[in-house]
Amino acid sequence: METTGHARLRKFVGQLVFVFASVAGSTLPALAAVGIGQDYDILNLPAKQSPLASKTWLHAITRAGDRLVAVGHRGHIIYSDDKGETWIQAEVPVRSDLTTVDFPSPDEGWAAGHEGVILRSKDGGETWTKELDGYQFNEMSLAHYKKLAQDNPDNELYPILVEEAQFALEQGADRPWYVIHVNQRGEVYAAGAYGLLAVSYDKKTWVPILEGVENHDGFNHIFGYARFGEDDFMLVGERGSVWYQPQPNQPWKRLSPFYTGSLYTAVIADDGAVIVSGMRGNTFRSTDKGFTWTEVELPVAESIISSERLADGRLVLVSAAGSILVSDDQGLSFKRVDDETRWPYTDLIEVEPGVILLTGRNGVRKLELPNPTR
């Protein structure tokens, strides 16, 4: 376990990295930090309406039934009912940068991002309400782990989580969520920076579950996830971390290290193989749910930010430098799509066979992929 001093030094360095990445214009998942003590007006001011909302930074896109919903900078959320040809901006109560979005049904949606914000929509993404922010989560985390430590004096982990919660409270609402997901039972899971992990079982109250992931030697960022089945999850994150949860309500076990850089995305192939990707294009493939890995050579050395499986089984990766890579052999190899338009991408979704929408620095872009080679 890290000592408090080491943990705080690592967090200070992490904050410097966040600020540097923001200044440099990085597209890595929401790498921007707010300084300690800064005014958090953005939690109380609604997102500004802008005719350019579909042309500026967007971080994630998903389906809400037949509708498409994308989220991005300054609380911008947009939706489209014509496969991305036209977009309407939603009413959002905050100006926080939003990094992730999920719709378990056409009407109900969840979005999350910076300042620990979690939003909910009940009308297909047209209007949103704030369900949680970083201040609230930090306070409930500290109270939660203090009680667990008091009730379980022999548990060595809970005092560590008390320290972590106390430190987070001192820092303010500076920790973003990178993952939001609702399972078929209606449980809402959120994960993010410094190992943040929370669940809402009733869609009203939230429970911190940092102890649910073997991540207490460094509180590594959790960037993405893949789902083999409804209750068969894999998380990926900082320092090559991969965690696997084979059964519901069990801890995510950290798998044996095989890579030291950050992993940002994971996707499941039709044959059940999982492909994880991250910094400088480092990509790995496993056929046994992460117990062994084989490196996949990519034609680019660019950070892979998002991945998707198409309806025809092809896999698509997109990079922070604007590359689009396609595999038609279950992720064993990838070819780069020739494309003159190159701007940093953050996410993608298939809107019709072989046609994808990409989000990134310049908003939304539609692209028809070349026909499969076989």
Side-chain angles (χ1 to χ4, degrees), residues 27-308:
T27 63
L28 301 185
L31 295 184
V34 180
I36 300 170
Q38 182 171 331
D39 188 5
Y40 283 84
D41 291 355
I42 52 180
L43 288 174
N44 302 309
L45 295 174
K48 290 184 177 180
Q49 292 291 311
S50 169
L52 299 178
S54 65
K55 304 293 184 183
T56 56
W57 271 112
L58 293 170
H59 288 302
I61 187 168
T62 193
R63 287 185 185 83
D66 294 329
R67 173 174 286 178
L68 298 170
V69 180
V71 304
H73 270 24
R74 301 180 182 89
H76 284 173
I77 299 180
I78 58 175
Y79 59 92
S80 172
D81 293 322
D82 55 12
K83 298 181 180 180
E85 295 298 327
T86 60
W87 295 88
I88 299 172
Q89 187 175 354
E91 297 179 17
V92 180
V94 298
R95 295 183 185 176
S96 300
D97 290 350
L98 302 172
T99 63
T100 177
V101 60
D102 186 36
F103 272 77
S105 71
D107 293 326
E108 181 194 351
W110 296 80
H114 279 241
E115 287 74 57
V117 163
I118 294 180
L119 307 175
R120 185 183 186 185
S121 174
K122 298 180 180 179
D123 57 8
E126 296 180 19
T127 62
W128 297 78
T129 57
K130 180 166 72 75
E131 301 294 315
L132 188 71
D133 63 39
Y135 286 126
Q136 296 166 333
F137 183 75
N138 289 341
E139 290 176 356
M140 71 173 61
S141 291
L142 182 58
H144 177 75
Y145 288 116
K146 277 186 174 180
K147 186 175 188 308
L148 286 178
Q150 181 178 350
D151 294 345
N152 301 273
D154 295 331
N155 189 305
E156 297 180 357
L157 176 58
Y158 291 142
I160 295 173
L161 297 180
V162 169
E163 281 194 16
E164 182 71 8
Q166 180 65 56
F167 182 68
L169 187 64
E170 294 169 0
Q171 301 301 293
D174 69 337
R175 300 183 177 194
W177 301 104
Y178 296 135
V179 173
I180 192 86
H181 174 69
V182 187
N183 64 21
Q184 289 184 348
R185 292 189 300 276
E187 299 165 347
V188 188
Y189 285 87
Y194 303 117
L196 283 181
L197 191 64
V199 62
S200 178
Y201 297 107
D202 58 7
K203 299 182 180 178
K204 297 177 182 178
T205 57
W206 291 86
V207 181
I209 51 170
L210 276 71
E211 70 275 19
V213 173
E214 290 186 347
N215 193 22
H216 315 116
D217 59 343
F219 295 100
N220 298 297
H221 307 323
I222 302 171
F223 287 127
Y225 77 98
R227 192 179 73 191
F228 296 95
E230 182 52 38
D231 293 306
D232 196 359
F233 276 85
M234 176 175 287
L235 301 173
V236 299
E238 187 183 15
R239 295 199 297 177
S241 300
V242 177
W243 302 272
Y244 179 56
Q245 183 197 47
Q247 298 293 332
N249 302 318
Q250 290 186 358
W252 277 270
K253 300 291 186 181
R254 187 171 181 177
L255 302 180
S256 298
F258 61 95
Y259 169 62
T260 58
S262 289
L263 296 168
Y264 301 125
T265 185
V267 64
I268 309 296
D270 277 347
D271 66 356
V274 58
I275 294 87
V276 298
S277 302
M279 291 181 64
R280 296 183 295 277
N282 285 284
T283 296
F284 304 87
R285 184 177 189 270
S286 174
T287 59
D288 54 13
K289 296 186 177 180
F291 290 95
T292 61
W293 296 89
T294 301
E295 187 170 3
V296 179
E297 292 189 13
L298 297 188
V300 299
E302 304 163 359
S303 292
I304 304 300
I305 302 302
S306 186
S307 53
E308 180 79 356

Side-chain angles (χ1 to χ4, degrees), residues 270 312-314 327-333 335 371-374:
D270 277 347
D312 62 12
R314 285 184 293 172
S327 171
D328 58 7
D329 59 7
Q330 309 293 330
L332 291 168
S333 64
K335 295 179 181 178
N371 291 327
T373 56
R374 59 178 180 81

